[in-house]
Amino acid sequence: MAARKTTTRRTAAVPEPAKCEPCKGTGEIPRTVRAGRKQRVVGQQTGICLACLGTGEATD
């Protein structure tokens, strides 16, 4: 009897989900913080991306 050849199955590569445009896939966007009567810029803080709700994946 001849030895049986085994073939390897190729699995379909799972496509990576599209990244969210505003946050570039991080889920966070920088927001400018203003303070004082003249509303001067005092720094930045990160906030959740409202387009993807923090997941980093494009919704549409």
Side-chain angles (χ1 to χ4, degrees):
M1 255 188 161
R4 182 184 254 185
K5 288 186 177 181
T6 59
T7 58
T8 57
R9 287 188 169 189
R10 292 187 183 188
T11 58
V14 178
E16 206 172 293
K19 291 185 179 179
C20 178
E21 189 70 28
C23 66
K24 298 175 182 65
T26 62
E28 295 181 341
I29 54 173
R31 301 295 298 173
T32 304
V33 178
R34 298 176 179 268
R37 189 178 68 197
K38 295 184 180 180
Q39 293 293 306
R40 293 185 179 142
V41 176
V42 294
Q44 285 188 340
Q45 69 185 67
T46 58
I48 190 169
C49 178
L50 296 178
C52 65
L53 299 176
T55 61
E57 299 175 3
T59 55
D60 200 9

mmCIF file of all heavy atoms in Angstrom:
data_model
loop_
_atom_site.group_PDB
_atom_site.id
_atom_site.type_symbol
_atom_site.label_atom_id
_atom_site.label_comp_id
_atom_site.label_asym_id
_atom_site.label_seq_id
_atom_site.Cartn_x
_atom_site.Cartn_y
_atom_site.Cartn_z
ATOM 1 N N MET A 1 0.816 -1.170 0.000
ATOM 2 C CA MET A 1 0.000 0.000 0.000
ATOM 3 C C MET A 1 0.872 1.250 0.000
ATOM 4 O O MET A 1 1.850 1.311 0.714
ATOM 5 C CB MET A 1 -0.857 0.033 1.241
ATOM 6 C CG MET A 1 -2.258 -0.309 0.990
ATOM 7 S SD MET A 1 -3.111 0.009 2.513
ATOM 8 C CE MET A 1 -4.674 0.104 1.869
ATOM 9 N N ALA A 2 0.445 2.220 -0.779
ATOM 10 C CA ALA A 2 1.182 3.487 -0.842
ATOM 11 C C ALA A 2 0.776 4.386 0.323
ATOM 12 O O ALA A 2 -0.350 4.316 0.815
ATOM 13 C CB ALA A 2 0.885 4.187 -2.159
ATOM 14 N N ALA A 3 1.721 5.194 0.721
ATOM 15 C CA ALA A 3 1.443 6.127 1.823
ATOM 16 C C ALA A 3 0.454 7.184 1.342
ATOM 17 O O ALA A 3 0.525 7.662 0.221
ATOM 18 C CB ALA A 3 2.719 6.788 2.290
ATOM 19 N N ARG A 4 -0.460 7.518 2.193
ATOM 20 C CA ARG A 4 -1.492 8.493 1.842
ATOM 21 C C ARG A 4 -0.949 9.916 2.046
ATOM 22 O O ARG A 4 -0.365 10.221 3.076
ATOM 23 C CB ARG A 4 -2.698 8.276 2.730
ATOM 24 C CG ARG A 4 -3.829 9.194 2.422
ATOM 25 C CD ARG A 4 -4.926 8.964 3.393
ATOM 26 N NE ARG A 4 -6.005 8.257 2.725
ATOM 27 C CZ ARG A 4 -7.161 7.975 3.261
ATOM 28 N NH1 ARG A 4 -7.366 8.285 4.511
ATOM 29 N NH2 ARG A 4 -8.090 7.364 2.584
ATOM 30 N N LYS A 5 -1.136 10.760 1.027
ATOM 31 C CA LYS A 5 -0.687 12.139 1.135
ATOM 32 C C LYS A 5 -1.759 12.953 1.852
ATOM 33 O O LYS A 5 -2.940 12.824 1.557
ATOM 34 C CB LYS A 5 -0.452 12.760 -0.240
ATOM 35 C CG LYS A 5 0.762 12.242 -0.937
ATOM 36 C CD LYS A 5 0.985 13.026 -2.215
ATOM 37 C CE LYS A 5 2.235 12.589 -2.917
ATOM 38 N NZ LYS A 5 2.462 13.360 -4.128
ATOM 39 N N THR A 6 -1.297 13.752 2.756
ATOM 40 C CA THR A 6 -2.244 14.624 3.435
ATOM 41 C C THR A 6 -2.094 16.034 2.874
ATOM 42 O O THR A 6 -0.988 16.501 2.611
ATOM 43 C CB THR A 6 -1.998 14.660 4.953
ATOM 44 O OG1 THR A 6 -0.673 15.116 5.178
ATOM 45 C CG2 THR A 6 -2.191 13.293 5.567
ATOM 46 N N THR A 7 -3.198 16.666 2.671
ATOM 47 C CA THR A 7 -3.154 18.042 2.172
ATOM 48 C C THR A 7 -3.551 18.974 3.302
ATOM 49 O O THR A 7 -4.394 18.645 4.139
ATOM 50 C CB THR A 7 -4.115 18.232 0.984
ATOM 51 O OG1 THR A 7 -5.426 17.899 1.407
ATOM 52 C CG2 THR A 7 -3.728 17.342 -0.185
ATOM 53 N N THR A 8 -2.961 20.129 3.318
ATOM 54 C CA THR A 8 -3.304 21.099 4.346
ATOM 55 C C THR A 8 -4.429 21.977 3.830
ATOM 56 O O THR A 8 -4.432 22.389 2.675
ATOM 57 C CB THR A 8 -2.100 21.978 4.716
ATOM 58 O OG1 THR A 8 -1.629 22.617 3.546
ATOM 59 C CG2 THR A 8 -0.983 21.142 5.293
ATOM 60 N N ARG A 9 -5.361 22.227 4.684
ATOM 61 C CA ARG A 9 -6.478 23.092 4.313
ATOM 62 C C ARG A 9 -6.086 24.537 4.494
ATOM 63 O O ARG A 9 -5.456 24.896 5.485
ATOM 64 C CB ARG A 9 -7.699 22.803 5.171
ATOM 65 C CG ARG A 9 -8.363 21.530 4.826
ATOM 66 C CD ARG A 9 -9.645 21.453 5.581
ATOM 67 N NE ARG A 9 -10.433 20.358 5.068
ATOM 68 C CZ ARG A 9 -11.663 20.129 5.406
ATOM 69 N NH1 ARG A 9 -12.251 20.924 6.275
ATOM 70 N NH2 ARG A 9 -12.322 19.130 4.903
ATOM 71 N N ARG A 10 -6.500 25.344 3.571
ATOM 72 C CA ARG A 10 -6.268 26.774 3.684
ATOM 73 C C ARG A 10 -7.543 27.416 4.204
ATOM 74 O O ARG A 10 -8.599 27.276 3.607
ATOM 75 C CB ARG A 10 -5.901 27.382 2.340
ATOM 76 C CG ARG A 10 -4.566 26.925 1.847
ATOM 77 C CD ARG A 10 -4.192 27.679 0.614
ATOM 78 N NE ARG A 10 -2.920 27.184 0.110
ATOM 79 C CZ ARG A 10 -2.253 27.737 -0.864
ATOM 80 N NH1 ARG A 10 -2.750 28.804 -1.457
ATOM 81 N NH2 ARG A 10 -1.123 27.246 -1.259
ATOM 82 N N THR A 11 -7.386 28.085 5.307
ATOM 83 C CA THR A 11 -8.550 28.769 5.865
ATOM 84 C C THR A 11 -8.586 30.181 5.300
ATOM 85 O O THR A 11 -7.551 30.810 5.082
ATOM 86 C CB THR A 11 -8.478 28.827 7.396
ATOM 87 O OG1 THR A 11 -7.274 29.485 7.775
ATOM 88 C CG2 THR A 11 -8.521 27.436 8.003
ATOM 89 N N ALA A 12 -9.764 30.642 5.072
ATOM 90 C CA ALA A 12 -9.922 31.995 4.542
ATOM 91 C C ALA A 12 -9.504 33.002 5.607
ATOM 92 O O ALA A 12 -9.894 32.907 6.766
ATOM 93 C CB ALA A 12 -11.367 32.241 4.136
ATOM 94 N N ALA A 13 -8.689 33.944 5.205
ATOM 95 C CA ALA A 13 -8.237 34.964 6.151
ATOM 96 C C ALA A 13 -9.406 35.873 6.510
ATOM 97 O O ALA A 13 -10.138 36.347 5.651
ATOM 98 C CB ALA A 13 -7.122 35.788 5.536
ATOM 99 N N VAL A 14 -9.569 36.090 7.789
ATOM 100 C CA VAL A 14 -10.654 36.937 8.261
ATOM 101 C C VAL A 14 -10.251 38.392 8.004
ATOM 102 O O VAL A 14 -9.205 38.835 8.479
ATOM 103 C CB VAL A 14 -10.910 36.718 9.766
ATOM 104 C CG1 VAL A 14 -12.009 37.633 10.264
ATOM 105 C CG2 VAL A 14 -11.248 35.263 10.023
ATOM 106 N N PRO A 15 -11.049 39.126 7.238
ATOM 107 C CA PRO A 15 -10.673 40.516 6.963
ATOM 108 C C PRO A 15 -10.760 41.361 8.223
ATOM 109 O O PRO A 15 -11.651 41.191 9.044
ATOM 110 C CB PRO A 15 -11.701 40.972 5.923
ATOM 111 C CG PRO A 15 -12.864 40.073 6.118
ATOM 112 C CD PRO A 15 -12.307 38.754 6.606
ATOM 113 N N GLU A 16 -9.786 42.242 8.368
ATOM 114 C CA GLU A 16 -9.763 43.133 9.521
ATOM 115 C C GLU A 16 -10.855 44.177 9.356
ATOM 116 O O GLU A 16 -11.036 44.714 8.276
ATOM 117 C CB GLU A 16 -8.394 43.806 9.597
ATOM 118 C CG GLU A 16 -8.021 44.225 10.975
ATOM 119 C CD GLU A 16 -6.592 44.693 11.033
ATOM 120 O OE1 GLU A 16 -5.698 43.861 10.852
ATOM 121 O OE2 GLU A 16 -6.405 45.904 11.236
ATOM 122 N N PRO A 17 -11.597 44.475 10.413
ATOM 123 C CA PRO A 17 -12.658 45.480 10.281
ATOM 124 C C PRO A 17 -12.064 46.850 9.965
ATOM 125 O O PRO A 17 -10.954 47.168 10.374
ATOM 126 C CB PRO A 17 -13.349 45.475 11.639
ATOM 127 C CG PRO A 17 -12.396 44.821 12.567
ATOM 128 C CD PRO A 17 -11.526 43.919 11.756
ATOM 129 N N ALA A 18 -12.837 47.647 9.252
ATOM 130 C CA ALA A 18 -12.381 48.979 8.872
ATOM 131 C C ALA A 18 -12.237 49.854 10.111
ATOM 132 O O ALA A 18 -13.034 49.778 11.039
ATOM 133 C CB ALA A 18 -13.366 49.600 7.903
ATOM 134 N N LYS A 19 -11.202 50.688 10.101
ATOM 135 C CA LYS A 19 -10.963 51.571 11.240
ATOM 136 C C LYS A 19 -11.843 52.805 11.137
ATOM 137 O O LYS A 19 -12.167 53.274 10.063
ATOM 138 C CB LYS A 19 -9.498 51.983 11.292
ATOM 139 C CG LYS A 19 -8.583 50.845 11.646
ATOM 140 C CD LYS A 19 -7.170 51.317 11.794
ATOM 141 C CE LYS A 19 -6.263 50.166 12.183
ATOM 142 N NZ LYS A 19 -4.878 50.603 12.313
ATOM 143 N N CYS A 20 -12.195 53.325 12.294
ATOM 144 C CA CYS A 20 -13.019 54.527 12.364
ATOM 145 C C CYS A 20 -12.204 55.718 11.876
ATOM 146 O O CYS A 20 -11.032 55.868 12.226
ATOM 147 C CB CYS A 20 -13.467 54.740 13.805
ATOM 148 S SG CYS A 20 -14.447 56.205 14.054
ATOM 149 N N GLU A 21 -12.816 56.565 11.065
ATOM 150 C CA GLU A 21 -12.117 57.703 10.470
ATOM 151 C C GLU A 21 -11.741 58.789 11.485
ATOM 152 O O GLU A 21 -10.577 59.200 11.520
ATOM 153 C CB GLU A 21 -12.984 58.300 9.354
ATOM 154 C CG GLU A 21 -12.286 59.335 8.520
ATOM 155 C CD GLU A 21 -11.194 58.758 7.629
ATOM 156 O OE1 GLU A 21 -11.283 57.596 7.245
ATOM 157 O OE2 GLU A 21 -10.246 59.498 7.346
ATOM 158 N N PRO A 22 -12.639 59.277 12.345
ATOM 159 C CA PRO A 22 -12.273 60.374 13.254
ATOM 160 C C PRO A 22 -11.181 60.009 14.267
ATOM 161 O O PRO A 22 -10.295 60.799 14.550
ATOM 162 C CB PRO A 22 -13.569 60.725 13.972
ATOM 163 C CG PRO A 22 -14.646 60.185 13.116
ATOM 164 C CD PRO A 22 -14.076 58.996 12.411
ATOM 165 N N CYS A 23 -11.237 58.796 14.812
ATOM 166 C CA CYS A 23 -10.278 58.428 15.862
ATOM 167 C C CYS A 23 -9.144 57.549 15.354
ATOM 168 O O CYS A 23 -8.253 57.197 16.120
ATOM 169 C CB CYS A 23 -11.000 57.724 17.006
ATOM 170 S SG CYS A 23 -11.694 56.122 16.563
ATOM 171 N N LYS A 24 -9.179 57.174 14.092
ATOM 172 C CA LYS A 24 -8.154 56.330 13.466
ATOM 173 C C LYS A 24 -8.000 54.981 14.161
ATOM 174 O O LYS A 24 -6.915 54.432 14.273
ATOM 175 C CB LYS A 24 -6.821 57.072 13.400
ATOM 176 C CG LYS A 24 -6.900 58.331 12.561
ATOM 177 C CD LYS A 24 -5.621 59.100 12.597
ATOM 178 C CE LYS A 24 -5.701 60.368 11.809
ATOM 179 N NZ LYS A 24 -6.631 61.360 12.322
ATOM 180 N N GLY A 25 -9.111 54.463 14.669
ATOM 181 C CA GLY A 25 -9.116 53.129 15.261
ATOM 182 C C GLY A 25 -8.743 53.051 16.723
ATOM 183 O O GLY A 25 -8.693 51.966 17.283
ATOM 184 N N THR A 26 -8.494 54.166 17.383
ATOM 185 C CA THR A 26 -8.111 54.118 18.798
ATOM 186 C C THR A 26 -9.316 54.154 19.728
ATOM 187 O O THR A 26 -9.238 53.678 20.850
ATOM 188 C CB THR A 26 -7.197 55.297 19.168
ATOM 189 O OG1 THR A 26 -7.899 56.513 18.966
ATOM 190 C CG2 THR A 26 -5.927 55.286 18.344
ATOM 191 N N GLY A 27 -10.417 54.755 19.281
ATOM 192 C CA GLY A 27 -11.602 54.866 20.128
ATOM 193 C C GLY A 27 -11.616 56.120 20.980
ATOM 194 O O GLY A 27 -12.568 56.373 21.703
ATOM 195 N N GLU A 28 -10.531 56.888 20.944
ATOM 196 C CA GLU A 28 -10.448 58.120 21.724
ATOM 197 C C GLU A 28 -10.055 59.278 20.824
ATOM 198 O O GLU A 28 -9.281 59.105 19.887
ATOM 199 C CB GLU A 28 -9.404 57.987 22.837
ATOM 200 C CG GLU A 28 -9.749 56.961 23.873
ATOM 201 C CD GLU A 28 -8.695 56.883 24.961
ATOM 202 O OE1 GLU A 28 -7.558 57.341 24.721
ATOM 203 O OE2 GLU A 28 -9.005 56.367 26.026
ATOM 204 N N ILE A 29 -10.590 60.455 21.135
ATOM 205 C CA ILE A 29 -10.225 61.656 20.396
ATOM 206 C C ILE A 29 -9.843 62.749 21.383
ATOM 207 O O ILE A 29 -10.397 62.814 22.480
ATOM 208 C CB ILE A 29 -11.371 62.139 19.469
ATOM 209 C CG1 ILE A 29 -12.665 62.326 20.245
ATOM 210 C CG2 ILE A 29 -11.592 61.180 18.329
ATOM 211 C CD1 ILE A 29 -13.771 62.949 19.450
ATOM 212 N N PRO A 30 -8.864 63.589 21.033
ATOM 213 C CA PRO A 30 -8.474 64.667 21.944
ATOM 214 C C PRO A 30 -9.483 65.806 21.917
ATOM 215 O O PRO A 30 -9.990 66.183 20.867
ATOM 216 C CB PRO A 30 -7.120 65.125 21.404
ATOM 217 C CG PRO A 30 -7.138 64.741 19.972
ATOM 218 C CD PRO A 30 -7.992 63.516 19.875
ATOM 219 N N ARG A 31 -9.793 66.331 23.080
ATOM 220 C CA ARG A 31 -10.703 67.466 23.208
ATOM 221 C C ARG A 31 -9.951 68.608 23.876
ATOM 222 O O ARG A 31 -9.247 68.400 24.860
ATOM 223 C CB ARG A 31 -11.926 67.109 24.059
ATOM 224 C CG ARG A 31 -12.746 65.959 23.526
ATOM 225 C CD ARG A 31 -13.381 66.251 22.220
ATOM 226 N NE ARG A 31 -14.311 67.359 22.366
ATOM 227 C CZ ARG A 31 -14.922 67.937 21.370
ATOM 228 N NH1 ARG A 31 -14.695 67.537 20.162
ATOM 229 N NH2 ARG A 31 -15.756 68.925 21.582
ATOM 230 N N THR A 32 -10.110 69.816 23.350
ATOM 231 C CA THR A 32 -9.457 70.991 23.916
ATOM 232 C C THR A 32 -10.204 71.449 25.156
ATOM 233 O O THR A 32 -11.423 71.531 25.159
ATOM 234 C CB THR A 32 -9.426 72.123 22.875
ATOM 235 O OG1 THR A 32 -8.776 71.640 21.709
ATOM 236 C CG2 THR A 32 -8.683 73.323 23.394
ATOM 237 N N VAL A 33 -9.449 71.741 26.218
ATOM 238 C CA VAL A 33 -10.033 72.217 27.465
ATOM 239 C C VAL A 33 -9.788 73.716 27.555
ATOM 240 O O VAL A 33 -8.658 74.184 27.410
ATOM 241 C CB VAL A 33 -9.395 71.509 28.679
ATOM 242 C CG1 VAL A 33 -9.977 72.037 29.971
ATOM 243 C CG2 VAL A 33 -9.604 70.016 28.571
ATOM 244 N N ARG A 34 -10.855 74.469 27.797
ATOM 245 C CA ARG A 34 -10.768 75.921 27.918
ATOM 246 C C ARG A 34 -11.195 76.311 29.325
ATOM 247 O O ARG A 34 -12.083 75.703 29.902
ATOM 248 C CB ARG A 34 -11.662 76.611 26.891
ATOM 249 C CG ARG A 34 -11.262 76.298 25.463
ATOM 250 C CD ARG A 34 -12.229 76.929 24.477
ATOM 251 N NE ARG A 34 -11.832 76.643 23.118
ATOM 252 C CZ ARG A 34 -11.044 77.433 22.394
ATOM 253 N NH1 ARG A 34 -10.576 78.543 22.905
ATOM 254 N NH2 ARG A 34 -10.730 77.100 21.165
ATOM 255 N N ALA A 35 -10.547 77.352 29.855
ATOM 256 C CA ALA A 35 -10.875 77.796 31.214
ATOM 257 C C ALA A 35 -10.764 79.311 31.305
ATOM 258 O O ALA A 35 -10.067 79.948 30.523
ATOM 259 C CB ALA A 35 -9.935 77.144 32.216
ATOM 260 N N GLY A 36 -11.480 79.857 32.253
ATOM 261 C CA GLY A 36 -11.402 81.285 32.512
ATOM 262 C C GLY A 36 -12.449 82.080 31.764
ATOM 263 O O GLY A 36 -13.165 81.576 30.902
ATOM 264 N N ARG A 37 -12.501 83.355 32.112
ATOM 265 C CA ARG A 37 -13.484 84.235 31.498
ATOM 266 C C ARG A 37 -13.205 84.448 30.009
ATOM 267 O O ARG A 37 -14.114 84.569 29.207
ATOM 268 C CB ARG A 37 -13.472 85.576 32.236
ATOM 269 C CG ARG A 37 -14.597 86.494 31.836
ATOM 270 C CD ARG A 37 -14.566 87.765 32.625
ATOM 271 N NE ARG A 37 -13.378 88.516 32.230
ATOM 272 C CZ ARG A 37 -12.854 89.511 32.916
ATOM 273 N NH1 ARG A 37 -13.372 89.844 34.071
ATOM 274 N NH2 ARG A 37 -11.801 90.148 32.485
ATOM 275 N N LYS A 38 -11.945 84.474 29.631
ATOM 276 C CA LYS A 38 -11.576 84.689 28.229
ATOM 277 C C LYS A 38 -11.500 83.379 27.442
ATOM 278 O O LYS A 38 -11.128 83.380 26.275
ATOM 279 C CB LYS A 38 -10.244 85.419 28.148
ATOM 280 C CG LYS A 38 -10.314 86.826 28.706
ATOM 281 C CD LYS A 38 -9.007 87.524 28.523
ATOM 282 C CE LYS A 38 -9.073 88.928 29.084
ATOM 283 N NZ LYS A 38 -7.816 89.643 28.914
ATOM 284 N N GLN A 39 -11.814 82.272 28.082
ATOM 285 C CA GLN A 39 -11.830 80.954 27.453
ATOM 286 C C GLN A 39 -10.498 80.629 26.778
ATOM 287 O O GLN A 39 -10.430 80.266 25.611
ATOM 288 C CB GLN A 39 -12.982 80.835 26.451
ATOM 289 C CG GLN A 39 -14.352 80.859 27.081
ATOM 290 C CD GLN A 39 -14.603 79.632 27.944
ATOM 291 O OE1 GLN A 39 -14.455 78.511 27.502
ATOM 292 N NE2 GLN A 39 -14.948 79.860 29.194
ATOM 293 N N ARG A 40 -9.433 80.757 27.546
ATOM 294 C CA ARG A 40 -8.109 80.417 27.030
ATOM 295 C C ARG A 40 -7.918 78.908 27.049
ATOM 296 O O ARG A 40 -8.428 78.213 27.913
ATOM 297 C CB ARG A 40 -7.035 81.072 27.886
ATOM 298 C CG ARG A 40 -7.027 82.559 27.777
ATOM 299 C CD ARG A 40 -5.867 83.133 28.545
ATOM 300 N NE ARG A 40 -5.865 84.578 28.411
ATOM 301 C CZ ARG A 40 -5.560 85.414 29.370
ATOM 302 N NH1 ARG A 40 -5.220 84.951 30.558
ATOM 303 N NH2 ARG A 40 -5.580 86.708 29.167
ATOM 304 N N VAL A 41 -7.146 78.426 26.099
ATOM 305 C CA VAL A 41 -6.855 76.995 26.019
ATOM 306 C C VAL A 41 -5.844 76.642 27.107
ATOM 307 O O VAL A 41 -4.774 77.248 27.198
ATOM 308 C CB VAL A 41 -6.298 76.633 24.621
ATOM 309 C CG1 VAL A 41 -5.912 75.166 24.572
ATOM 310 C CG2 VAL A 41 -7.323 76.953 23.550
ATOM 311 N N VAL A 42 -6.191 75.679 27.955
ATOM 312 C CA VAL A 42 -5.309 75.274 29.046
ATOM 313 C C VAL A 42 -4.772 73.860 28.881
ATOM 314 O O VAL A 42 -3.909 73.436 29.640
ATOM 315 C CB VAL A 42 -6.005 75.410 30.423
ATOM 316 C CG1 VAL A 42 -6.286 76.853 30.734
ATOM 317 C CG2 VAL A 42 -7.255 74.571 30.483
ATOM 318 N N GLY A 43 -5.261 73.125 27.914
ATOM 319 C CA GLY A 43 -4.753 71.768 27.708
ATOM 320 C C GLY A 43 -5.706 70.932 26.884
ATOM 321 O O GLY A 43 -6.618 71.440 26.243
ATOM 322 N N GLN A 44 -5.461 69.628 26.900
ATOM 323 C CA GLN A 44 -6.311 68.680 26.184
ATOM 324 C C GLN A 44 -6.592 67.487 27.077
ATOM 325 O O GLN A 44 -5.810 67.150 27.958
ATOM 326 C CB GLN A 44 -5.636 68.193 24.900
ATOM 327 C CG GLN A 44 -5.618 69.186 23.789
ATOM 328 C CD GLN A 44 -5.120 68.572 22.494
ATOM 329 O OE1 GLN A 44 -4.462 67.547 22.488
ATOM 330 N NE2 GLN A 44 -5.462 69.211 21.394
ATOM 331 N N GLN A 45 -7.714 66.862 26.833
ATOM 332 C CA GLN A 45 -8.028 65.605 27.489
ATOM 333 C C GLN A 45 -8.642 64.689 26.447
ATOM 334 O O GLN A 45 -9.142 65.148 25.422
ATOM 335 C CB GLN A 45 -8.980 65.808 28.664
ATOM 336 C CG GLN A 45 -10.382 66.224 28.282
ATOM 337 C CD GLN A 45 -11.222 66.514 29.508
ATOM 338 O OE1 GLN A 45 -10.956 67.454 30.212
ATOM 339 N NE2 GLN A 45 -12.227 65.697 29.750
ATOM 340 N N THR A 46 -8.580 63.398 26.690
ATOM 341 C CA THR A 46 -9.132 62.450 25.723
ATOM 342 C C THR A 46 -10.582 62.169 26.055
ATOM 343 O O THR A 46 -10.980 62.128 27.215
ATOM 344 C CB THR A 46 -8.349 61.129 25.719
ATOM 345 O OG1 THR A 46 -8.378 60.577 27.020
ATOM 346 C CG2 THR A 46 -6.918 61.346 25.275
ATOM 347 N N GLY A 47 -11.351 61.983 25.010
ATOM 348 C CA GLY A 47 -12.756 61.654 25.162
ATOM 349 C C GLY A 47 -13.114 60.497 24.257
ATOM 350 O O GLY A 47 -12.382 60.170 23.322
ATOM 351 N N ILE A 48 -14.231 59.860 24.517
ATOM 352 C CA ILE A 48 -14.674 58.727 23.717
ATOM 353 C C ILE A 48 -15.138 59.220 22.342
ATOM 354 O O ILE A 48 -15.727 60.283 22.216
ATOM 355 C CB ILE A 48 -15.792 57.952 24.440
ATOM 356 C CG1 ILE A 48 -16.085 56.643 23.732
ATOM 357 C CG2 ILE A 48 -17.037 58.794 24.559
ATOM 358 C CD1 ILE A 48 -16.980 55.724 24.544
ATOM 359 N N CYS A 49 -14.833 58.465 21.329
ATOM 360 C CA CYS A 49 -15.236 58.812 19.973
ATOM 361 C C CYS A 49 -16.733 58.534 19.818
ATOM 362 O O CYS A 49 -17.200 57.423 20.100
ATOM 363 C CB CYS A 49 -14.443 57.987 18.966
ATOM 364 S SG CYS A 49 -14.908 58.287 17.255
ATOM 365 N N LEU A 50 -17.473 59.532 19.387
ATOM 366 C CA LEU A 50 -18.917 59.362 19.253
ATOM 367 C C LEU A 50 -19.314 58.651 17.965
ATOM 368 O O LEU A 50 -20.433 58.167 17.839
ATOM 369 C CB LEU A 50 -19.599 60.728 19.325
ATOM 370 C CG LEU A 50 -19.436 61.449 20.654
ATOM 371 C CD1 LEU A 50 -20.114 62.808 20.592
ATOM 372 C CD2 LEU A 50 -19.990 60.635 21.792
ATOM 373 N N ALA A 51 -18.404 58.570 17.015
ATOM 374 C CA ALA A 51 -18.712 57.887 15.760
ATOM 375 C C ALA A 51 -18.722 56.364 15.941
ATOM 376 O O ALA A 51 -19.555 55.663 15.376
ATOM 377 C CB ALA A 51 -17.714 58.281 14.685
ATOM 378 N N CYS A 52 -17.787 55.849 16.731
ATOM 379 C CA CYS A 52 -17.701 54.392 16.901
ATOM 380 C C CYS A 52 -17.979 53.953 18.339
ATOM 381 O O CYS A 52 -17.906 52.768 18.650
ATOM 382 C CB CYS A 52 -16.321 53.903 16.478
ATOM 383 S SG CYS A 52 -14.980 54.518 17.504
ATOM 384 N N LEU A 53 -18.247 54.901 19.224
ATOM 385 C CA LEU A 53 -18.522 54.640 20.643
ATOM 386 C C LEU A 53 -17.379 53.902 21.338
ATOM 387 O O LEU A 53 -17.576 53.047 22.183
ATOM 388 C CB LEU A 53 -19.842 53.874 20.810
ATOM 389 C CG LEU A 53 -21.066 54.616 20.298
ATOM 390 C CD1 LEU A 53 -22.308 53.750 20.413
ATOM 391 C CD2 LEU A 53 -21.270 55.930 21.025
ATOM 392 N N GLY A 54 -16.151 54.229 20.938
ATOM 393 C CA GLY A 54 -14.980 53.683 21.605
ATOM 394 C C GLY A 54 -14.484 52.336 21.113
ATOM 395 O O GLY A 54 -13.490 51.834 21.611
ATOM 396 N N THR A 55 -15.130 51.752 20.129
ATOM 397 C CA THR A 55 -14.693 50.452 19.655
ATOM 398 C C THR A 55 -13.531 50.550 18.670
ATOM 399 O O THR A 55 -12.735 49.615 18.554
ATOM 400 C CB THR A 55 -15.836 49.683 18.969
ATOM 401 O OG1 THR A 55 -16.277 50.435 17.839
ATOM 402 C CG2 THR A 55 -16.976 49.448 19.919
ATOM 403 N N GLY A 56 -13.453 51.644 17.926
ATOM 404 C CA GLY A 56 -12.396 51.813 16.940
ATOM 405 C C GLY A 56 -12.743 51.245 15.587
ATOM 406 O O GLY A 56 -11.953 51.331 14.647
ATOM 407 N N GLU A 57 -13.908 50.634 15.455
ATOM 408 C CA GLU A 57 -14.339 50.060 14.181
ATOM 409 C C GLU A 57 -15.373 50.955 13.526
ATOM 410 O O GLU A 57 -16.230 51.500 14.183
ATOM 411 C CB GLU A 57 -14.945 48.671 14.411
ATOM 412 C CG GLU A 57 -13.965 47.682 15.016
ATOM 413 C CD GLU A 57 -14.619 46.358 15.336
ATOM 414 O OE1 GLU A 57 -15.826 46.195 15.042
ATOM 415 O OE2 GLU A 57 -13.945 45.498 15.889
ATOM 416 N N ALA A 58 -15.256 51.089 12.209
ATOM 417 C CA ALA A 58 -16.208 51.908 11.473
ATOM 418 C C ALA A 58 -17.579 51.252 11.503
ATOM 419 O O ALA A 58 -17.708 50.040 11.390
ATOM 420 C CB ALA A 58 -15.744 52.093 10.040
ATOM 421 N N THR A 59 -18.622 52.065 11.638
ATOM 422 C CA THR A 59 -19.967 51.516 11.730
ATOM 423 C C THR A 59 -20.601 51.315 10.371
ATOM 424 O O THR A 59 -21.467 50.475 10.205
ATOM 425 C CB THR A 59 -20.864 52.431 12.572
ATOM 426 O OG1 THR A 59 -20.834 53.730 12.023
ATOM 427 C CG2 THR A 59 -20.392 52.480 14.004
ATOM 428 N N ASP A 60 -20.197 52.091 9.395
ATOM 429 C CA ASP A 60 -20.830 51.951 8.084
ATOM 430 C C ASP A 60 -19.867 52.095 6.972
ATOM 431 O O ASP A 60 -18.919 52.730 6.937
ATOM 432 C CB ASP A 60 -21.939 52.978 7.925
ATOM 433 C CG ASP A 60 -22.928 52.594 6.827
ATOM 434 O OD1 ASP A 60 -22.851 51.466 6.320
ATOM 435 O OD2 ASP A 60 -23.773 53.440 6.524
#
